[in-house]
């Protein structure tokens, strides 16, 4: 697959085969992703791998609970538009994917959101070359239950920067068109 094809094949996948992802494949993808540029090469990112559908369901349910609580506390919450979806017991924020990688780190590290964003892009492209599909799920970062965070090995006071669900796609959707890039000026 050449690079242009890879960019088109990398789509957000929301329909996964009921087929587990070998742990070694997930580890290989993580090893590719850490080649991403990152500030000072400090590599402050940390990873939690969830490789079990039942666990994914539990995490999804906990995220939904926490999003609903957030909407209740603040009706102006940006998640308000997802309220019906969050109340649907059949909705899984990870779209029933078989695996999840949480990229976590300190919220105090000033460049970590950029570092992990770049890492996530590498991760998703690497997964695509291996026939896997991914979706970055912001809703999956809404995990607040301290017990569950502890069980998942997410260190206290750390932030979930990139929740990436992955699995084998049932199919790869066509690319959603992008707008023309707005180039403000070409100098000279
Ligand atoms: C920061 C970020 C958060 C996202 N959160 C979600 C999400 O919670 N649920 C979801 O289904 N997709 C989520 N997406 C995927 C976007 O919807 C998707 O990338 C966009 O529609 C473009 O489609 P494409 O990835 O196939 O090019 C997220 C993507 C990014 C980069």
């Amino acid at each position: 697959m050449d690079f242009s094809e890879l960019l088109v094949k990398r789509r957000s996948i929301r329909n996964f085969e009921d087929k587990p992802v070998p742990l070694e494949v997930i580890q290989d993808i993580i090893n590719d992703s850490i080649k991403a540029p990152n500030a000072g090469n400090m590599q402050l990112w940390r990873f939690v791998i969830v490789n079990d559908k039942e666990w994914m369901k539990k995490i999804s349910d906990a995220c939904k609970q926490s999003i609903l609580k957030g909407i209740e506390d603040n009706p102006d919450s940006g998640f308000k538009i997802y309220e019906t979806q969050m109340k649907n017991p059949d909705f899984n924020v990870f779209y029933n994917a078989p695996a999840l990688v949480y990229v976590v780190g300190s919220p105090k590290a000033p460049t970590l959101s950029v570092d992990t964003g770049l890492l996530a892009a590498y991760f998703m492209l690497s997964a695509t070359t291996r026939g896997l599909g991914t979706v970055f799920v912001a809703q999956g970062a809404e995990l607040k239950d301290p017990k569950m965070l502890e069980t998942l090995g997410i260190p206290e006071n750390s932030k979930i920067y990139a929740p990436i669900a992955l699995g084998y796609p049932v199919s790869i959707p066509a690319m959603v068109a992008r707008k023309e890039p707005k180039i403000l000026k070409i100098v000279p």
Side-chain angles (χ1 to χ4, degrees), residues 13-26 29 51 53 95-99 127-134 165-172:
I13 300 298
R14 299 184 178 87
N15 195 0
F16 295 92
E17 283 182 17
D18 190 10
K19 177 178 162 187
V21 184
L23 181 59
E24 314 79 72
V25 175
I26 302 176
I29 295 169
N51 202 13
K53 256 180 118 164
Y95 304 96
N96 303 307
T128 307
T129 65
R130 296 164 196 277
L132 283 153
T134 56
L166 79 158
Y168 294 94
V170 169
S171 59
I172 301 174

Side-chain angles (χ1 to χ4, degrees), residues 10-12 14 95 135-139 178:
R10 197 287 316 150
R11 299 271 59 84
S12 293
R14 299 184 178 87
Y95 304 96
V135 58
F136 189 116
V137 183
Q139 292 172 349
R178 300 304 201 243

Side-chain angles (χ1 to χ4, degrees), residues 94-136:
F94 305 116
Y95 304 96
N96 303 307
L100 165 72
V101 171
Y102 271 141
V103 186
V104 307
S106 166
K108 290 187 183 150
T111 62
L112 205 46
S113 58
V114 177
D115 296 343
T116 53
L118 288 161
L119 176 132
Y122 275 47
F123 184 105
M124 293 188 271
L125 292 171
S126 170
T128 307
T129 65
R130 296 164 196 277
L132 283 153
T134 56
V135 58
F136 189 116

